[in-house]
Amino acid sequence: MTENKPETRPSLAPQKGGLLADRAFSWWTLGTGLLVLGILALILITTVREAWPAFVEMGFRYVTERTWDPNPAEGAPIFGALSFMYGTAVTSLIALLIAVPVSIGIALFITELAPRRLRGSAITVIDLLAAVPSVVFGLWGVLVLAPILVDFYRGVHDVFSGVPVLGTIFGEAASGRNFMTAGLILAIMVTPIITSICREVFGTVPQADKDAALALGATRWEMIRGAVFPHSFGGITGAVMLGLGRAMGETIAVALVVGGSTNLSANLFEPGNTMAAVIVQQFGESTGTYTAALIGLGVVLFGMTVLINLAAQRIVRRAEARMRGGVA
């Protein structure tokens, strides 16, 4: 009669080598996270230091003055960033107003409606569009799109010329290089980015949630509105913020189509400029305080981006609390 030997089970106690590896991994991840924060801090410190002469010379007027005149006929140079801040905000807003609905629609089509054979081709086209260099978009915009849009802009102005507010927003168009054209080019550029992230976010929605909504009699749109959007709200906001950052920081493409004018106007069909475009247009010919003022535009752009992201995080937290039944 054979004697039954007790089963030998692997020890669950932590091994010495495993503890060391786990501790090393923890320190490594902490170090990489702190490295990113350190790099951001160094960028901010060095740019503020380089821009400080312009900040001292202009004071708070740097962000409230609309005039930018580095080489006046007489008197001291004037460096006012307000017109460029306005141009950056307007072109980015136009881009988001166009790109966000289109991107969400494309992402929903790929994840919820498109046949399996079509999904791969659609994803490939979107990825290829994201890989196109920005200078190509800019050249296409200034050589092809802008001349075509002049007559369209004039037609829109004729339609809305007698309407309050809209008549001012859609004013006369002297050329195709203006705020609206820059916004359209930016919309084309950020659409692949927002689409790709939204597609990944929509793909994380549990299939059980969608099946449950359909089983309760919901239509496909009601299922998307009740199951997909609430689960994906934070991810959609992150995608929009990433697209906004790309739009606000774009240089070459915007510089080619925005018109290059220091202009603060409600007319979207007038030429203007953005902070990033001004830097790339004028940095090569600048010296001294002029250079500091251009670097200051980068500091202001950095600050605007941070404030917008903080506001977006607050909005997401409040919205998610409401969706979960919490008190905002």
Side-chain angles (χ1 to χ4, degrees), residues 91 177-179 182 253-261 270-274 277 281:
T91 54
R177 298 176 61 193
N178 49 46
F179 290 124
V254 175
L256 290 171
V257 299
V258 76
S261 174
E270 284 191 6
N273 225 330
T274 66
Q281 290 166 355

Side-chain angles (χ1 to χ4, degrees), residues 218-266:
T219 63
R220 189 177 293 274
W221 166 243
E222 289 171 339
M223 178 272 292
I224 291 172
R225 189 178 61 185
V228 176
F229 283 162
H231 184 276
S232 309
F233 183 76
I236 294 173
T237 305
V240 173
M241 289 300 102
L242 187 61
L244 177 61
R246 172 70 190 275
M248 293 178 66
E250 180 54 44
T251 54
I252 296 298
V254 175
L256 290 171
V257 299
V258 76
S261 174
T262 306
N263 184 25
L264 198 158
S265 171

Side-chain angles (χ1 to χ4, degrees), residues 109-133:
F109 173 75
I110 293 174
T111 56
E112 302 295 336
L113 299 173
R116 189 178 299 273
R117 287 179 297 178
L118 183 59
R119 291 180 185 178
S121 301
I123 293 172
T124 301
V125 171
I126 293 170
D127 292 342
L128 287 175
L129 189 61
V132 176

Side-chain angles (χ1 to χ4, degrees), residues 10-28:
S11 174
L12 298 179
Q15 303 297 319
K16 185 176 180 181
L19 286 174
L20 291 175
D22 186 65
R23 188 172 298 173
F25 177 75
S26 299
W27 282 107
W28 176 69

Side-chain angles (χ1 to χ4, degrees), residues 16-97:
K16 185 176 180 181
L19 286 174
L20 291 175
D22 186 65
R23 188 172 298 173
F25 177 75
S26 299
W27 282 107
W28 176 69
T29 54
L30 177 63
T32 53
L34 293 176
L35 178 63
V36 173
L37 296 177
I39 292 173
L40 286 176
L42 287 174
I43 291 174
L44 180 60
I45 292 171
T46 53
T47 51
V48 169
R49 184 182 62 188
E50 294 296 327
W52 194 250
F55 291 159
V56 171
E57 181 171 325
M58 292 298 299
F60 194 67
R61 290 175 55 226
Y62 184 82
V63 294
T64 60
E65 174 65 52
R66 65 172 63 187
T67 302
W68 180 273
D69 190 359
N71 300 303
E74 56 182 30
I78 301 174
F79 301 106
L82 184 61
S83 297
F84 306 138
M85 294 167 63
Y86 172 80
T88 301
V90 168
T91 54
S92 300
L93 182 60
I94 293 172
L96 291 186
L97 289 175

Side-chain angles (χ1 to χ4, degrees), residues 253-305:
V254 175
L256 290 171
V257 299
V258 76
S261 174
T262 306
N263 184 25
L264 198 158
S265 171
N267 182 5
L268 300 182
F269 298 155
E270 284 191 6
N273 225 330
T274 66
M275 289 185 284
V278 169
I279 293 172
V280 74
Q281 290 166 355
Q282 303 183 9
F283 196 83
E285 62 189 33
S286 64
T287 57
T289 307
Y290 189 5
T291 302
L294 292 173
I295 297 175
L297 292 177
V299 176
V300 174
L301 181 60
F302 183 86
M304 289 176 61
T305 305

